[in-house]
Structure formats: C-alpha cells, structure tokens
Amino acid sequence: MNNYYDGTKLLSLKDLDGNTPEIFMVTSNRTAGKTTYFSKLVFNRFLKKSSKFMLVYRFKYELDDCAGKFFKDIQGLFFQEYELFSKKMATGIYHELFCRKLGEEKAVSCGYAVSLNSADQLKKLSHFFSDTSCMLFDEFQSETNNYCPNEVEKFVSIHKTVARGQGKMNRYVPVYMCANPVTILNPYYVEMDISTRLTSEVKFLRGHGFVLEQGYNEAADKAQKESGFNAAFSKNRYIAYSTEGTYLNDSLTFIEQPNGKSKYLATIRYKNCDYAIRSFDTLGIVYCDNKPDMTYPNKIAVTTDDHNINYVMLKNNEMFIINMRYFFQQGCFRFKDLKCKEAVLKLLSF
C-alpha cells in the first residue's frame, strides 16, 4: 500500500486562521487510494474508539447497498474478519450501519448513511445522529455535473443536523471530502472561494475552516497508462482526467488583457458590482472586466441579492450561460483580475 495515498500531511495542517480545520478535502487522479485511505481511517476509529461515522451521498437511491459500496474494498485489504450491513431507518430516509465479526451473531451500530437531498427530513431526526464523530463525502465533485438543487445549502444543513446534541449547540464534527478533479466550477470550490485561488501548481490550500490537498499519484498514473484498454482510448480527454489528474471539464484560466476589436455580450452583476462580458472573435476568447456598458440591454443578476427590475435572473439566460460555460471549459476565458474571475465562476457554477 506504500504507493497509495496517505492523508497524514493533510490531517496535520491548520487552516488559514491557525485553527484545526473541520473540512478536509482531497482531489487526485483515479485509483490513487484517497477513498480507501479515509474509509479505512473512519472504520479504524470506530473499532478503536467506538467513534461512529456518517457516509454522505447525493441522492436517496444511492443509499441502496451503501454498506457494500463503502466496505467491500477495505474489507479485503484490511478488515477480513469483519462484515458490514445496513438497515433502512425512518422509512428509508437514512440507513444505519452495523458491523460484526465473521461468525458472530451480535452486530453493533457503527454509523449512518444519508443523502444530501433528504436534508430537510433529516433535520427532524437530528437526535439519532448525536453520536456521529465524523463524516465522509466521497465524489463531492460530480463527473456529470449532476448536483442537487441548492446542494451546498443542503450539505451545510446536514452538518448542522449532525453537529448539534450531546449538550452542545455545536460539536466539532470533521468532514472528509474526496473527489477526482472534475471542474473548478463545482459548487463547493465556488462557494468556498477555492476556484479563484487554485492553480495547477498548488498542492495544499488553506482556507477559513478547511484545508485542501490537490494530489497526483504517479504510480496510479503509470498503472492506468499500462492498461491496454486505456491505450485504445488514449486520445479521449476522460483518460487524461482519470490517469493524470487534470480537470475533466477545465482548461487553464488566465488573467490577462486581450487586444483588438471586441463585441459586447452582457453585463453581469455580482455582489452589487457590474462586470462586462465581451468576445474577441479574432482571438477566439471571451473576456470579463469591470468596465460595463450600462446602456446594453442584456443584464444578468448572478444572485438573488443582485436582482432588481433592470436585471434578469440566471434561469432566464440558460442558453447564454451554457455557451459561456463551454468557452470556459475550452480555456477561452480571460479576466482582468481575480474579482472578475470570481464573478464569472459564480455565474457559470453548477
């Protein structure tokens, strides 16, 4: 297992304020071992300290066979003498996980599995989760960009549901989040202001309450590239994403000033500031700066706070946003500064 991911360094880091983080995020190329590492970590803690864990999924149907999905790999590697199973609770709103030694009848509760989309129902069941010590959210970036509506709010709600209890208004409940690098437009990076700070050179990133590790496992890359199947599809961008750890849906984004003739596309308002979106057709790029043409009729409010009678909301400009998202993913966007970049990332986020 020496060639696989080791999260010791990430777990040792303090956040931007010098405090112990409550969110630990890691991305890397596929088969690097990050999910295995954190799955082993939370199950080991239960065996040693009776510390229950919670598995977080996106949709309710993903709770089916949650025990098998979580335990099958680590059982064969580390816990051959144990078995894990789950029971539907509260008419299937969540599952409770139970483990026992092989050959024994008695099983003990070791944790829970919940879905983000059930956040509202889970609020009323918070007393059941007061013994949860940590949470594991695998694949927090969706490869198909199929996120829950208002996913970040639901994620925050579930953590609040879990972190209350035991005589405290708020307990320390760390969350371990793993994913392959799909896009910096994912809702977590945008909400936590990671998108504007992250570059391909960053290995560890500290924020307020969180730390992020952006990894690359050379052994996993080599093993994947030696696959005959992958060789057959070597020109497919998914292979580069899964082996090399490049972002599946992104090219590098740049802060620079283009020259030449441009065409005005739209004014966007974000955090009470107006920004201009222009296309430089001869250069094949789209540019955002803070010099809007307020006479141009196409005005888009990025958030509800930015909305007034002169601006239309995002849903009324769906095709425009889809087109802009395409340009971003092809590496065709340029920005005057980080504020402009942040506004565009928020506009285009999934």
Side-chain angles (χ1 to χ4, degrees), residues 203-235:
K203 185 170 176 61
F204 293 97
L205 186 73
R206 303 169 193 260
H208 301 293
F210 75 87
V211 288
L212 164 70
E213 180 176 3
Q214 189 172 235
Y216 163 72
N217 188 299
E218 187 174 356
D221 185 4
K222 183 179 179 182
Q224 289 287 312
K225 286 180 176 175
E226 288 173 351
S227 159
F229 182 88
N230 287 343
F233 295 96
S234 58
K235 292 183 180 180

Side-chain angles (χ1 to χ4, degrees), residues 11-250:
L11 296 175
S12 71
L13 295 177
K14 299 296 184 182
D15 71 4
L16 202 57
D17 304 305
N19 300 320
T20 300
E22 201 155 2
I23 299 175
F24 299 86
M25 311 173 79
V26 59
T27 66
S28 69
N29 48 325
R30 292 188 66 172
T31 70
K34 52 193 177 295
T35 301
T36 300
Y37 176 87
F38 284 104
S39 298
K40 178 188 177 186
L41 176 77
V42 301
F43 192 73
N44 246 340
R45 284 182 181 169
F46 170 75
L47 293 180
K48 293 179 179 179
K49 302 179 180 179
S50 298
S51 300
K52 292 187 181 183
F53 55 89
M54 176 176 282
L55 307 178
V56 180
Y57 296 91
R58 201 159 262 120
F59 302 106
K60 191 176 177 180
Y61 71 85
E62 295 179 278
L63 300 183
D64 292 342
D65 194 31
C66 56
K69 286 185 282 191
F70 166 75
F71 199 61
K72 185 176 181 180
D73 284 345
I74 62 171
Q75 180 189 36
L77 290 169
F78 311 109
F79 306 109
Q80 293 94 338
E81 70 272 32
Y82 290 93
E83 62 180 346
L84 199 75
F85 63 93
S86 72
K87 292 182 179 178
K88 290 183 179 181
M89 309 297 286
T91 65
I93 293 174
Y94 73 96
H95 284 219
E96 188 163 3
L97 299 164
F98 296 86
C99 77
R100 64 186 166 204
K101 282 194 171 183
L102 293 175
E104 295 184 359
E105 287 191 20
K106 184 180 179 181
V108 294
S109 172
C110 60
Y112 312 94
V114 302
S115 67
L116 294 176
N117 237 9
S118 299
D120 201 43
Q121 298 100 306
L122 291 168
K123 284 181 190 175
K124 302 163 188 173
L125 305 170
S126 61
H127 52 287
F128 289 114
F129 311 123
S130 62
D131 54 358
T132 301
S133 66
C134 62
M135 300 166 67
L136 175 60
F137 184 10
D138 194 20
E139 297 184 9
F140 72 87
Q141 294 188 45
S142 167
E143 287 189 0
T144 57
N145 296 313
N146 184 23
Y147 295 97
C148 300
N150 303 313
E151 176 159 326
V152 173
E153 287 84 351
K154 291 176 179 177
F155 176 68
V156 172
S157 173
I158 286 181
H159 189 269
K160 285 183 177 294
T161 294
V162 171
R164 66 177 64 152
Q166 297 186 6
K168 298 179 181 179
M169 292 183 181
N170 189 62
R171 299 182 297 121
Y172 175 77
V173 181
V175 186
Y176 308 113
M177 303 173 65
C178 309
N180 302 316
V182 180
T183 174
I184 62 172
L185 293 177
N186 76 78
Y188 296 93
Y189 280 12
V190 173
E191 189 70 27
M192 299 163 76
D193 291 329
I194 294 172
S195 300
T196 56
R197 301 172 57 202
L198 198 63
T199 68
S200 57
E201 290 77 29
V202 171
K203 185 170 176 61
F204 293 97
L205 186 73
R206 303 169 193 260
H208 301 293
F210 75 87
V211 288
L212 164 70
E213 180 176 3
Q214 189 172 235
Y216 163 72
N217 188 299
E218 187 174 356
D221 185 4
K222 183 179 179 182
Q224 289 287 312
K225 286 180 176 175
E226 288 173 351
S227 159
F229 182 88
N230 287 343
F233 295 96
S234 58
K235 292 183 180 180
N236 188 285
R237 67 186 183 130
Y238 190 88
I239 296 299
Y241 148 73
S242 61
T243 60
E244 299 168 12
T246 56
Y247 278 88
L248 173 62
N249 289 336
D250 295 346

Side-chain angles (χ1 to χ4, degrees), residues 143-350:
E143 287 189 0
T144 57
N145 296 313
N146 184 23
Y147 295 97
C148 300
N150 303 313
E151 176 159 326
V152 173
E153 287 84 351
K154 291 176 179 177
F155 176 68
V156 172
S157 173
I158 286 181
H159 189 269
K160 285 183 177 294
T161 294
V162 171
R164 66 177 64 152
Q166 297 186 6
K168 298 179 181 179
M169 292 183 181
N170 189 62
R171 299 182 297 121
Y172 175 77
V173 181
V175 186
Y176 308 113
M177 303 173 65
C178 309
N180 302 316
V182 180
T183 174
I184 62 172
L185 293 177
N186 76 78
Y188 296 93
Y189 280 12
V190 173
E191 189 70 27
M192 299 163 76
D193 291 329
I194 294 172
S195 300
T196 56
R197 301 172 57 202
L198 198 63
T199 68
S200 57
E201 290 77 29
V202 171
K203 185 170 176 61
F204 293 97
L205 186 73
R206 303 169 193 260
H208 301 293
F210 75 87
V211 288
L212 164 70
E213 180 176 3
Q214 189 172 235
Y216 163 72
N217 188 299
E218 187 174 356
D221 185 4
K222 183 179 179 182
Q224 289 287 312
K225 286 180 176 175
E226 288 173 351
S227 159
F229 182 88
N230 287 343
F233 295 96
S234 58
K235 292 183 180 180
N236 188 285
R237 67 186 183 130
Y238 190 88
I239 296 299
Y241 148 73
S242 61
T243 60
E244 299 168 12
T246 56
Y247 278 88
L248 173 62
N249 289 336
D250 295 346
S251 295
L252 293 178
T253 55
F254 298 95
I255 294 176
E256 61 181 53
Q257 171 67 58
N259 294 313
K261 191 175 181 181
S262 66
K263 179 171 65 178
Y264 204 88
L265 299 179
T267 300
I268 63 173
R269 169 160 284 210
Y270 176 62
K271 290 185 176 179
N272 209 33
C273 294
D274 293 305
Y275 299 90
I277 305 289
R278 297 179 170 88
S279 67
F280 288 75
D281 293 342
T282 56
L283 300 176
I285 66 171
V286 179
Y287 178 63
C288 177
D289 64 20
N290 56 356
K291 298 178 181 177
D293 177 359
M294 300 310 294
T295 65
Y296 198 79
N298 191 16
K299 298 177 180 178
I300 305 170
V302 176
T303 70
T304 52
D305 291 338
D306 299 311
H307 184 52
N308 61 45
I309 58 172
N310 296 315
Y311 291 80
V312 294
M313 288 300 295
L314 299 180
K315 61 184 178 182
N316 296 327
N317 283 272
E318 188 173 0
M319 282 309 303
F320 175 79
I321 292 170
I322 288 172
N323 288 334
M324 293 301 102
R325 196 177 282 154
Y326 172 81
F327 289 128
F328 177 88
Q329 292 170 345
Q330 300 303 312
C332 298
F333 249 99
R334 301 294 183 270
F335 310 93
K336 180 184 177 183
D337 54 31
L338 284 176
K339 280 192 172 183
C340 296
K341 185 176 179 181
E342 179 185 350
V344 170
L345 290 169
K346 195 71 175 179
L347 173 75
L348 303 183
S349 63
F350 290 95

